């Protein structure tokens, strides 16, 4: 089946040839600054459970909050807005008895980000993009939650694909340019995300570019399902993502060797958005914008990144500092790997010629 090519992909690649692009920073920690009450989250929806902490639902009950955050990041220099939809799926929203609102949350979140992005583009002509953010859910396909029953799974593949497809369809309907499968702690979950995008592409008859971002759970460089950075790339390379990279995990210092490893093998753009250092004893992030910007600039200095941004603890000030730090630096040149068979278990495997 022939799909209509994505004009957003073409525009993004053209911008990425010219400069290092900037994605936005954290949403959760920025929302906390508003000191919202449970009533603010719940609005007039009349849901059966407490909504405090359900950041995604603010698209319906307090849209001015995510809108102001999008504006702050674009003003700071961001080229990409990630929708406030990290947990806007049936599995995660079940914790808030809001499963029936998943489509509406995603459509409205994407529309909001799209409107602000287009507004900033209209001001200066510089393209701004919207990435529909999809988190990993709070379930895993690879691991059992029961130590006494290693074969048990809370969900199965088909169910997760359907859950993701619902979210993908709504994000695209709302105006997202790309689907960002992020904070991947389970590689099999990520592959279900890829399958969901392919299903929606087939239904709509047009290409939906994918961005993918892995999160590391220990300093050895593995995610929760045990895959190294290299193995993760070999496991998802067939999806031909627009970008691949790392987010959350740790601060930039701890990610340095893993960014280098991925940069050397991935024949696509590299996007990295680390936490603003490591949290202190109170769970707060103390790393100053100038420090974070200096650390991520080292990747740019060594030609290892195409897109930079921030995750937990990062603010518009962090994004502004990053944008300024790398403004004069050239983007990474894409790797051109030798054509061989590359496979992945928990470790990468290259088949000898």
């Amino acid at each position: 089946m022939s799909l209509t090519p994505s004009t957003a992909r073409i525009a993004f690649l053209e911008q990425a040839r010219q400069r290092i692009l900037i994605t936005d920073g954290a949403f959760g920690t920025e929302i906390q600054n508003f000191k919202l009450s449970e009533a603010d989250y719940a609005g007039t929806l009349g849901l059966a459970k407490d909504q405090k902490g359900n950041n995604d639902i603010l698209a319906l009950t307090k849209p001015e909050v995510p809108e102001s955050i999008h504006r702050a990041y674009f003003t700071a220099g961001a080229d990409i807005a990630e929708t406030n939809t990290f947990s806007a799926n049936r599995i995660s929203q079940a914790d808030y008895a809001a499963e029936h609102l998943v489509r509406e949350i995603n459509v409205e979140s994407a529309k909001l980000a799209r409107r602000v992005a287009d507004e900033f583009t209209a001001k200066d002509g510089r393209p701004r993009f919207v990435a529909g953010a999809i988190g990993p859910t709070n379930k895993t396909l690879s691991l059992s939650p029961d130590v006494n029953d290693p074969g048990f799974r809370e969900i199965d593949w088909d169910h997760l694909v359907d859950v993701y497809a619902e979210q993908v369809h709504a994000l695209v309907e709302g105006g997202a340019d790309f689907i960002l499968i992020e904070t991947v702690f389970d590689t099999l979950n990520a592959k279900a995300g890829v399958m969901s995008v392919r299903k929606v592409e087939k239904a709509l008859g047009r290409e939906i570019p994918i961005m993918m971002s892995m999160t590391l759970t220990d300093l050895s460089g593995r995610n929760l399902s045990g895959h190294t950075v290299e193995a993760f790339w070999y496991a998802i390379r067939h999806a031909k993502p627009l970008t691949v990279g790392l987010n959350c995990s740790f601060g930039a210092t701890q990610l340095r060797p893993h960014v280098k490893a991925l940069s050397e093998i991935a024949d696509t753009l590299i996007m990295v958005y680390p936490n603003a250092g490591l949290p202190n004893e109170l769970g707060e992030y103390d790393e100053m914008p100038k420090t974070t910007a200096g650390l991520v600039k080292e990747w740019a200095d060594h030609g290892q990144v195409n897109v930079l941004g921030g995750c937990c603890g990062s603010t518009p000030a962090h994004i502004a500092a990053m944008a300024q730090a790398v403004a004069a630096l050239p983007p990474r040149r894409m790797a051109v790997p030798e054509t061989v068979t590359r496979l992945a278990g928990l470790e990468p495997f290259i088949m000898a010629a």
Side-chain angles (χ1 to χ4, degrees), residues 15 17-18 54 103 118 160 164 179 207 219 242 259 272 295-296 298 334 345:
Q15 291 297 306
R17 275 190 286 269
Q18 301 172 32
N54 188 3
R103 178 186 170 277
D118 291 346
L160 186 56
Y164 276 144
I179 294 299
E207 177 194 11
L219 292 174
L242 178 62
V259 172
V272 187
L295 291 171
V296 301
E298 293 179 19
M334 206 174 296

Side-chain angles (χ1 to χ4, degrees), residues 28-84:
T29 46
E30 285 300 292
I31 288 171
Q32 289 174 15
N33 293 335
F34 285 82
K35 309 295 183 187
L36 300 176
S37 67
E38 196 279 333
D40 291 323
Y41 282 95
T44 58
L45 295 175
L47 296 172
K49 292 186 178 180
D50 191 304
Q51 297 300 305
K52 187 70 180 285
N54 188 3
N55 292 338
D56 308 76
I57 211 162
L58 294 174
L60 307 182
T61 57
K62 276 266 185 204
E64 63 271 22
V65 171
E67 179 174 346
S68 69
I69 295 171
H70 284 313
R71 289 185 184 283
Y73 281 128
F74 278 133
T75 299
D79 298 287
I80 307 165
E82 299 173 24
T83 56
N84 181 37

Side-chain angles (χ1 to χ4, degrees), residues 267-322:
D267 52 347
T268 192
L269 303 178
I270 298 292
M271 181 166 79
V272 187
Y273 48 116
N275 292 344
L278 297 173
N280 61 27
E281 295 82 357
L282 300 176
E284 298 173 342
Y285 292 84
D286 300 322
E287 190 169 276
M288 299 301 291
K290 184 177 180 180
T291 302
T292 305
L295 291 171
V296 301
K297 180 177 179 292
E298 293 179 19
W299 298 329
D301 286 335
H302 290 90
Q304 295 171 348
V305 290
N306 303 99
V307 188
L308 283 171
C311 204
C312 302
S314 60
T315 68
H318 287 81
I319 299 306
M322 289 183 197

Side-chain angles (χ1 to χ4, degrees), residues 165-177:
E166 178 183 31
Q167 189 177 7
V168 170
H169 201 290
L171 287 167
V172 172
E173 180 183 342
D177 295 307

Side-chain angles (χ1 to χ4, degrees), residues 63-215:
E64 63 271 22
V65 171
E67 179 174 346
S68 69
I69 295 171
H70 284 313
R71 289 185 184 283
Y73 281 128
F74 278 133
T75 299
D79 298 287
I80 307 165
E82 299 173 24
T83 56
N84 181 37
T85 52
F86 185 82
S87 298
N89 59 77
R90 257 184 284 156
I91 293 171
S92 301
Q93 286 300 311
D95 292 343
Y96 298 100
E99 307 98 306
H100 61 293
L101 296 174
V102 162
R103 178 186 170 277
E104 189 178 356
I105 291 170
N106 284 281
V107 169
E108 292 306 314
S109 292
K111 283 183 176 179
L112 192 158
R114 177 84 271 155
R115 184 173 69 252
V116 180
D118 291 346
E119 178 186 315
F120 274 77
T121 295
K123 289 178 181 178
D124 60 14
R126 194 176 97 214
R128 305 308 199 284
F129 303 94
V130 175
I134 292 185
T137 80
N138 52 20
K139 308 295 182 188
T140 169
L141 289 173
S142 295
L143 304 170
S144 171
D146 184 353
V147 295
N148 297 312
D149 186 1
F152 174 70
R153 298 293 184 271
E154 291 184 279
I155 55 172
D156 62 27
W157 168 270
D158 290 339
H159 177 64
L160 186 56
V161 170
D162 288 344
V163 165
Y164 276 144
E166 178 183 31
Q167 189 177 7
V168 170
H169 201 290
L171 287 167
V172 172
E173 180 183 342
D177 295 307
F178 320 121
I179 294 299
L180 170 60
I181 302 170
E182 66 171 337
T183 319
V184 176
F185 65 75
D186 182 344
T187 304
L188 194 56
N189 280 33
K191 291 168 80 72
V194 171
M195 179 63 76
S196 75
V197 174
R198 297 293 180 249
K199 285 184 65 173
V200 177
E201 280 182 327
K202 185 176 181 181
L204 297 179
R206 64 184 178 93
E207 177 194 11
I208 303 170
I210 296 172
M211 295 171 152
M212 305 197 76
S213 188
M214 176 187 186
T215 189

